[in-house]
């Protein structure tokens, strides 16, 4: 018969326990510092960044620049310059997403959201809204256009008004595209979300309440600033207001352009 044995009195290994505690702790600290640096880099805006105010609404983007210029659906920025976006929504939740820059930020009504980026190469990049915001959600797309510093300054100078030798009607034609009027109003007579601009000026329209009105300068201006006040029969009251987006000169230019679309 073998000799009786007893259980070892060694109930732990201090060295081993220190190793398997210390190594994971060091790894966690490294990952934390690494992640925290990324978080700070993402959310702390550089002091020398230029600010662009972004307004989201159904169904387009508006960008207001410190020089007093604004653009619709085109965020134009200089290369190698940090850009701070101060974003707000006029109606429902939207989401600002530029895949190439790996930036995405939900925009909630009645509060500001901030995000920043710095483009390191020139080019044109897609901009999407990734929160379902209504019937026109799929059309709420835009572009981020990165220019050289000189090209950016030239654009700022030109966007302030019509260039030398340009008529108000020609300037209005540019605004028809740059202010996204073309997404809802055709100029060839094709039905769309809104009435066609072809032959619109001087035309008598029947309104939703059964009354009629002649499309003149006053009606066009009112439709841009208070679009749901006098809706044309057969169309949904979905046009957003351009109050604060269009300057008086730009409204005048759009009116002159409509007069030429016959």
């Amino acid at each position: 018969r073998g000799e009786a044995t007893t259980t070892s009195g060694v109930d732990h290994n201090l060295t081993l326990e220190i190793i398997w505690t210390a190594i994971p702790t060091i790894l966690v600290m490294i990952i934390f510092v690494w992640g925290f640096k990324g978080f700070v880099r993402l959310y702390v805006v550089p002091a020398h960044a230029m600010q662009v105010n972004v307004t989201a609404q159904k169904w387009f983007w508006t960008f207001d620049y410190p020089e007093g210029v604004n653009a619709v659906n085109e965020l134009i920025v200089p290369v190698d310059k940090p850009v701070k976006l101060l974003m707000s929504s006029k109606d429902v939740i939207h989401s600002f997403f530029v895949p190439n820059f790996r930036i995405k930020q939900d925009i909630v009504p009645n509060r500001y959201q901030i995000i920043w980026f710095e483009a390191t190469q020139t080019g044109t990049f897609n901009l999407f809204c990734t929160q379902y915001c209504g019937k026109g959600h799929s059309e709420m797309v835009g572009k981020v256009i990165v220019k050289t510093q000189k090209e950016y300054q030239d654009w700022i100078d030109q966007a302030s008004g019509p260039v030398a030798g340009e008529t108000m009607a020609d300037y209005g034609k540019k605004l028809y595209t740059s202010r996204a009027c073309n997404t809802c109003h055709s100029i060839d007579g094709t039905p769309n979300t809104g009435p066609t601009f072809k032959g619109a000026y001087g035309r008598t329209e029947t309104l939703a309440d059964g009354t009629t009105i002649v499309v003149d300068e006053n009606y066009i201006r009112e439709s841009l600033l208070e679009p749901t006040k006098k809706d044309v029969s057969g169309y949904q009251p979905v046009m957003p207001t351009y109050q604060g987006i269009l300057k008086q000169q730009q409204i005048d230019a759009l009116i002159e352009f409509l007069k030429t679309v016959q």
Side-chain angles (χ1 to χ4, degrees):
R1 209 163 73 167
E3 297 182 2
T5 59
T6 59
T7 302
S8 171
V10 179
D11 58 0
H12 70 282
N13 186 312
L14 183 60
T15 301
L16 181 60
E17 291 179 358
I18 290 174
I19 291 173
W20 73 37
T21 301
I23 291 178
T25 301
I26 293 171
L27 290 175
V28 168
M29 292 177 65
I30 292 173
I31 294 172
F32 172 79
V33 172
W34 189 9
F36 185 72
K37 285 184 177 179
F39 174 84
V40 170
R41 186 168 58 250
L42 180 62
Y43 287 100
V44 177
V45 182
H48 61 291
M50 62 173 279
Q51 178 173 310
V52 179
N53 291 357
V54 181
T55 304
Q57 64 187 96
K58 297 187 289 188
W59 287 280
F60 62 89
W61 305 94
T62 304
F63 305 101
D64 293 291
Y65 292 80
E67 295 86 355
V69 172
N70 61 33
V72 173
N73 287 340
E74 289 186 348
L75 173 58
I76 300 174
V77 299
V79 70
D80 296 326
K81 176 72 176 179
V83 179
K84 171 186 175 182
L85 302 180
L86 182 64
M87 302 185 289
S88 61
S89 169
K90 279 192 174 181
D91 36 51
V92 298
I93 184 171
H94 297 279
S95 187
F96 185 94
F97 178 45
V98 184
N100 292 88
F101 297 168
R102 292 186 293 180
I103 58 172
K104 180 180 180 293
Q105 178 64 56
D106 288 351
I107 308 174
V108 182
N110 301 317
R111 65 177 301 174
Y112 289 114
Q113 307 291 335
I114 294 175
I115 199 168
W116 78 277
F117 68 92
E118 181 176 348
T120 57
Q121 65 182 61
T122 59
T124 301
F125 308 92
N126 291 320
L127 161 63
F128 301 103
C129 174
T130 56
Q131 289 283 2
Y132 181 73
C133 52
K135 180 182 177 182
H137 167 67
S138 61
E139 299 174 3
M140 192 171 173
V141 295
K143 299 289 184 182
V144 179
I145 302 174
V146 184
K147 297 178 176 287
T148 65
Q149 184 62 51
K150 183 181 183 305
E151 290 172 338
Y152 172 76
Q153 191 57 53
D154 289 343
W155 173 78
I156 287 291
D157 295 339
Q158 293 177 9
S160 300
V163 298
E166 186 176 45
T167 67
M168 288 293 282
D170 289 338
Y171 181 43
K173 186 176 182 178
K174 290 198 306 187
L175 293 171
Y176 165 74
T177 301
S178 67
R179 295 302 184 266
C181 303
N182 59 339
T183 60
C184 295
H185 303 276
S186 73
I187 57 174
D188 61 3
T190 305
N192 206 326
T193 305
T196 180
F197 281 170
K198 184 175 182 180
Y201 184 80
R203 185 168 63 207
T204 299
E205 293 281 17
T206 301
L207 303 182
D209 61 4
T211 61
T212 59
I213 194 169
V214 175
V215 178
D216 58 9
E217 289 87 350
N218 286 322
Y219 176 72
I220 296 171
R221 185 179 191 280
E222 184 179 55
S223 296
L224 289 168
L225 303 181
E226 300 179 79
T228 59
K229 190 173 182 179
K230 295 177 182 176
D231 295 310
V232 174
S233 178
Y235 295 93
Q236 295 296 315
V238 295
M239 179 172 169
T241 178
Y242 279 81
Q243 184 78 46
I245 298 175
L246 292 175
K247 299 176 182 179
Q248 183 58 51
Q249 184 188 45
Q250 294 171 326
I251 294 174
D252 294 341
L254 281 169
I255 292 172
E256 292 305 311
F257 168 62
L258 259 66
K259 291 179 180 180
T260 69
V261 185
Q262 301 297 330

